[in-house]
Amino acid sequence: MNTTTFIGENLLPGQIGYFLTILSFVASLVATFAFAKAFYSQQIETEIQWNKLAKTAFLIEAVAIFSCFIVLSYIIYHHLFEYKYAYSHSDMSMPIQYLLSCFWEGQEGSFLLWSFWHAVLGLILMTRAKKWGKNINGVMTVLNFTQVCLATMIVGFYILDFKLGSSPFILLRNEMQWPILSRPDYLQFIKDGTGLNTTLQNYWMVIHPPVLFLGFASTTIPFAFAVAGLLKKENNWMDSVLPWATFSAGILGLGIMMGAAWAYESLNFGGYWAWDPVENASLVPWLVLVAGIHTCIIYRKTGTSLKATYLFFGISFLMVLYSTFLTRSGILGDTSVHAFTDLGMNAQLLGFLLIFVIPYFVLFFIRYKNLYETPAEDEMSSREFWMLVGSMVLFLSGLVITSITSIPVINKLLGTKIAPPEDAAFAHNQVQVFVAIIIGLLTAAGQYLKYKETPKSYIISKLKMPILITIVMSSVIYIFIGVAYKEKGIGFTGAIYVALFSAVYAVVANLFYWLSILNGKLKSAAASIGHIGFGLVLVGILISSSNKTVLSWNTTGISPLKEDNSKNNPTGNPRENITLFEGLATDMGKYMVTYQRDTLDGLNKRFFELMFKEKNSEHQFFLYPDVLKNNKMEGFSANPAAKHYWNKDIFVYVTSFQDHSESDTIRFKPHQIAIGDSIFYSNGYIKLEKVLINPNKNAPVGNNELVLQMTVTSKEGLKYDATPGILLEGMTLQQELDTVKAQNLVLSFNKVVDQKKGVLEIGIKESASLTNLITLKVYEFPFINILWLGIIVMTIGFMMSSYARYKKLKAK
């Protein structure tokens, strides 16, 4: 037993935190058992007794989780680097607004955040128990069992040789094997932590994870209602689940797109969505959940699609668990930039997934015959028929995304060597563009249809005007904006045009339905508003992505970048990265761009001031992209900057910059030249036009000057004047160097070699250290604000629906 007394350690917070994690684990076990007993109790008195114990245990569990949250925040905020979590995820220079990001950067903190939201949702369920139906004890049983599983992820104790979870309260000296940690005074040598990952030092990462994890946690509730219904063979929970399901879809969708906004502002792949496996893993539960909401509505109206509702609500939550396994097990390897570091918990993560997947599907198939649906053959003109078709399309869309994303898992399990798609984005886009077409059309026409059957004349009369308006609006978009993306052939380009028509139709038809059929009333407009938002999202994605334009084509002919076709290379084609020299205005298409200066913020972040001036007007603006030194790996991470207009964004990030730490050791190379001769350099040639003797008429008497008038021509055809010379002041001879910064050239006039033949000697030096230079990637995203507007409108629609359905439930 180690009896060493370590100087300066603050052990109390860790001891309290560790106790609280154990308490939350035990309390969640007790609550799970007690709620299950109450759920199966046949007598009211017994149910009340078990309920009382269950609620008490849950309250203890919730208080323990909230207290854990506070204790870990205290450790991070006070920089207690004796704890591994604080040391690994924060540092002394961390701005206070990013300290919360430190909390959920690691797996342990994010699991605790997930538990936090479960506790909040559980308290809401418990305090409004009567509103959610008699199966509420079953719902709380599932919720608390999920809490048990989450608690195991952060308890961090051993069962024989198996470590259960990883505690955020473990001491650095108990986890790392550094020799210095055995010293009693080791803390005096640990001056700082390793800090927050540079890509997470963005305000979106303060708010995106909490919203996303609230979305993840909320999917547990529809799943729990489904499990309780299967266990009791009761299907009367549909009204109770809809407020939760619509809330969950709204919050999860918002959380996903907050992540897209973070990627747009912080990552340098040039956009908001890259079909990264982690992005995909969060999107699929949302798609399936939305499918489940629609089949649930079908069942309430017609008594059909019950089995599909159970399946979709179940799969939605199970896909959240699958995404947890994917992102935290390390199985994705280098296929994702978002995945967590592997903590050696693969077996536990897999167990977390399977302990829900296997029982749920076993229970579903055992109860399958009891899932009675009204025997009816849906008419093709009925609303429920097309709602079911749309739900199946969303489900199949999620299935395709999952199958492509899961290639590393398939290879790991089966020992295969299936190669992921070379162009992952197109592999998804070529399928999802047709999903957009179908869902857009169904979203537009669906609300005009009636349940059971809709007369053909009614459909034509109601849809005629929205279709005409859509044709006009789409034509305007095609003519004045169009689709610039032509890389994958005419077929795919044509599909984008059709999808764009479908998306516009979804907006117009739902807006028309709200204003004409519902007479503009907000009370019943939740579905229309949600669908308008979804249509705007599709319009924004299709226009901004298909017309994304590279503005930064290199016009200088100089680039420090090398060709690199790897998929994680943010620079892409070097020719798409313009080189800028400090203080020199450079032609970039419709703009002249000047790299004004750069400033160093502390030791890690360098800001670059860029001035953009339109050629055809006096309009100009400044952007300040920055690069941040990676604290988790070598190199720098680029943070983009964007100029936002109502109709476009100019998106900029630095792909390379001059490193000032290295001195210039390159020497001049001598060359002989005569008037009219040319000498080649790496990017063009230099021609001696003539020799000027004492060109400065105002020079002091006695000064003699010899100046060479030279023209530098780059291989791109750009011409620059250069005038190196020699000045004789009395008995002092000095060289007058001339620098062509845009070509990294310094020219010197060394001496006259042969006066009779007119042969001179010049010196040429090519050096990237002559001046500060950077390379930029610049994109233009047209009408991207339509996407962000659509997200806001769609979320409002979901929240309106959730509130309206809760009000109806409350009125019963």
Side-chain angles (χ1 to χ4, degrees), residues 162-463:
F162 181 77
K163 185 181 180 183
L164 192 66
S166 177
S167 173
F169 303 106
I170 194 167
L171 292 169
L172 184 66
R173 59 180 165 83
N174 290 339
E175 190 74 6
M176 310 304 288
Q177 301 301 315
W178 305 338
I180 196 174
L181 297 179
S182 62
R183 294 182 51 155
D185 59 346
Y186 76 92
L187 273 179
Q188 70 171 311
F189 300 102
I190 299 180
K191 303 296 184 183
D192 209 351
T194 59
L196 180 67
N197 190 306
T198 53
T199 60
L200 304 183
Q201 294 181 34
N202 180 279
Y203 63 92
W204 281 113
M205 288 311 294
V206 179
I207 56 177
H208 156 58
V211 175
L212 184 66
F213 276 92
L214 174 57
F216 285 162
S218 62
T219 62
T220 312
I221 297 177
F223 172 77
F225 271 105
V227 171
L230 289 172
L231 290 171
K232 278 291 184 76
K233 301 180 185 178
E234 294 176 353
N235 307 317
N236 56 356
W237 49 272
M238 299 295 173
D239 286 339
S240 300
V241 79
L242 273 173
W244 287 105
T246 49
F247 170 80
S248 181
I251 288 296
L252 182 56
L254 180 63
I256 292 168
M257 293 313 296
M258 279 182 169
W262 163 70
Y264 182 65
E265 291 198 5
S266 290
L267 300 184
N268 50 17
F269 57 71
Y272 45 83
W273 197 266
W275 291 109
D276 181 273
V278 174
E279 295 172 342
N280 301 344
S282 62
L283 176 62
V284 172
W286 184 84
L287 291 171
V288 181
L289 179 61
V290 173
I293 290 170
H294 287 81
T295 56
C296 183
I297 294 170
I298 294 171
Y299 177 73
R300 289 176 63 252
K301 295 290 186 179
T302 67
T304 60
S305 299
L306 177 63
K307 298 181 182 70
T309 303
Y310 272 103
L311 196 62
F312 292 155
F313 280 155
I315 291 176
S316 176
F317 172 70
L318 298 176
M319 288 306 299
V320 169
L321 300 185
Y322 181 59
S323 74
T324 302
F325 172 73
L326 280 180
T327 57
R328 298 168 189 272
S329 64
I331 202 167
L332 291 175
D334 296 328
T335 62
S336 172
V337 298
H338 299 80
F340 285 90
T341 305
D342 179 11
L343 291 182
M345 293 166 54
N346 290 13
Q348 192 174 344
L349 290 166
L350 184 60
F352 185 23
L353 173 63
L354 296 180
I355 205 169
F356 284 94
V357 170
I358 294 173
Y360 185 77
F361 282 109
V362 168
L363 182 60
F364 177 77
F365 288 114
I366 289 174
R367 296 283 193 259
Y368 190 82
K369 292 182 179 179
N370 302 105
L371 301 178
Y372 176 77
E373 299 179 1
T374 303
E377 187 172 331
D378 294 335
E379 289 286 337
M380 284 191 66
S381 63
S382 67
R383 181 184 288 194
E384 63 268 25
F385 175 82
W386 292 107
M387 283 176 71
L388 181 60
V389 169
S391 298
M392 291 304 299
V393 169
L394 289 174
F395 173 68
L396 292 174
S397 168
L399 194 62
V400 171
I401 294 170
T402 302
S403 63
I404 297 174
T405 305
S406 299
I407 288 175
V409 180
I410 295 169
N411 287 338
K412 189 87 169 180
L413 293 177
L414 303 181
T416 54
K417 295 183 179 179
I418 302 171
E422 186 174 339
D423 187 346
F426 182 65
H428 288 285
N429 290 337
Q430 65 183 336
V431 175
Q432 301 308 322
V433 68
F434 294 102
V435 172
I437 291 170
I438 297 169
I439 297 300
L441 293 174
L442 294 179
T443 301
Q447 287 200 90
Y448 290 89
L449 303 177
K450 299 178 181 296
Y451 288 102
K452 303 297 185 183
E453 187 178 2
T454 312
K456 191 174 182 180
S457 58
Y458 178 85
I459 298 173
I460 293 172
S461 66
K462 296 298 181 183
L463 291 179

Side-chain angles (χ1 to χ4, degrees), residues 666-679:
I666 299 174
R667 297 184 178 182
F668 283 93
K669 291 183 179 179
H671 296 270
Q672 292 187 0
I673 192 170
I675 295 175
D677 288 350
S678 296
I679 297 172

Side-chain angles (χ1 to χ4, degrees), residues 681 685-686 710-714 718-720 722 740 745 747:
Y681 70 104
Y685 64 91
I686 305 162
M710 313 186 80
T711 302
V712 177
T713 305
S714 73
L718 301 174
K719 294 183 180 295
Y720 307 90
V740 183
L745 277 178
L747 301 177

